[in-house]
Amino acid sequence: MTGLTRREMLAAGAAAAALGMSGSATAQHEFAGLNDIAMRKGLRFGSAVAWGQPNADRASFANPAYAALLERDCGLLVPENELKWQWTRHTQGYNFAQFDAIADYAASKAYKLRGHTLFWAPQKWFPEWLVSHDFGAQPAKAAEALLADHVRTVCKRYGTKIYSYDVVNEAVEPSTGALRDTVVTRAFGSGEAMLDMMFHTAKAEAPHAELVYNDYMSWERGTEDETHITGVLKLLEGFRKRGTPVDTLGIQSHIRLLKDLPVAAIVKESEGPWRKFLDEVTAMGYKLAITEFDVNDKKAPTDIAARDAMVADYAKAYLDVMFSYKQLKDVLAWGMVDKYSWLTGFDPRADKTMIRGCPYDAEFKAKPLREAMASAFLGAPAR
Ligand code: XIL
């Protein structure tokens, strides 16, 4: 790793020792699992998993190499796509076949399972039928019935098998900070009232579950993230004023190396404003969760060793800040293996090489990012 302080080098050394690593040649099975390391500090770790389409080996749990790695490192799982409306409500009815496969796998191995998501708010992620849905003569009632039925159906079906729900995902429009305007909010009449209704319904149907508002506002500066953050704060304040039962802010944490700056400079400009945001969120009594951690290495060099070091350093700095908040307990990566990461398709690098934002490379070998994560867990204050 580059640019380590003496303290960080000691922490990294301790992490390596705890992981049983004497060098990069050490066999993977000798590592302690990330969740085991996290649990020493009262944290928990897990990952998104996929059912498998379009390539079968992407089925994280049906691919033995991937499953072995999940079983070593994870205590929590979350479906990458399979509980989204595009999958469960591809037509207007319900189809839980793919998510059931994930839920069964989670139960068979005693993973704790998160529910992502009861509603993904941007219209571009709606199933087609919903975009052109006829809400009839009383659109507000019809929209409420549609959403409430969805929340009840999912919560009843899975009961205590799901311990935490992203009740609503990405409702704030980053460019304005206002709630997103979609065919559903228009039918409902008010975005706020719609969100309140969903949280109240989830609370009634799944009183055991942690209820999360999840979004992607991020700590990088000079982008729409500042407006996004202001909008999310306003939403969270509104929830508290109206008594909406929201327990936790889910911080997706798709962190991004987007600037031609050294890691230390990016961290320096990000940390202060980000802490101010987290201070305000936690002062309102919200808990925090890292729900979709990965690193977009867009502006990091092509050279693998240099890039991996930069990704690891950046992640370590971010996780250190996050872990300093004792309101944070759960940390989930958005996939464990670069080869299957959504990032390469979603936001490709200019050099067209695979993005290296997951803890393991395409050959399922642990990367410096995994070491950085282990070291951040080990360095976290206990909670
Ligand atoms: C992504 C999946 O990883 C992709 O496979 C899919 O094509 C699009 O969605 N924020 C979220 C996640 O809340 O649900 C997204 O997952 C990534 C961004």
Side-chain angles (χ1 to χ4, degrees), residues 60 63-73 105 111:
S60 323
N63 173 338
Y66 204 143
L69 182 161
L70 291 172
E71 284 165 31
R72 186 182 59 219
D73 275 341
Y105 168 69
Y111 292 105

Side-chain angles (χ1 to χ4, degrees), residues 48 50 53 58 79-82 84 86-87 116-117 120 125 166 169-170 214-216 252 254 291-292 294 334-335 340-343 346:
Q53 258 180 346
R58 193 168 189 268
E80 183 171 348
N81 289 303
E82 295 76 356
K84 294 170 180 169
Q86 280 172 330
W87 291 64
H116 175 79
T117 167
W120 198 1
W125 299 113
D166 291 335
N169 189 36
E170 303 180 354
N214 195 51
D215 212 328
Y216 60 84
Q252 292 185 3
H254 297 291
T291 52
E292 307 181 16
D294 56 20
W334 207 240
Y340 307 115
S341 168
W342 72 300
L343 283 171
F346 178 79

Side-chain angles (χ1 to χ4, degrees), residues 160-173:
T160 53
K161 285 183 182 160
I162 293 181
Y163 79 96
S164 171
Y165 279 103
D166 291 335
V167 178
V168 179
N169 189 36
E170 303 180 354
V172 174
E173 167 62 50

Side-chain angles (χ1 to χ4, degrees), residues 235-252:
L235 178 67
L236 296 179
E237 279 162 15
F239 285 149
R240 282 295 180 253
K241 274 194 204 124
R242 300 189 300 273
T244 314
V246 183
D247 302 305
T248 301
L249 174 65
I251 300 171
Q252 292 185 3

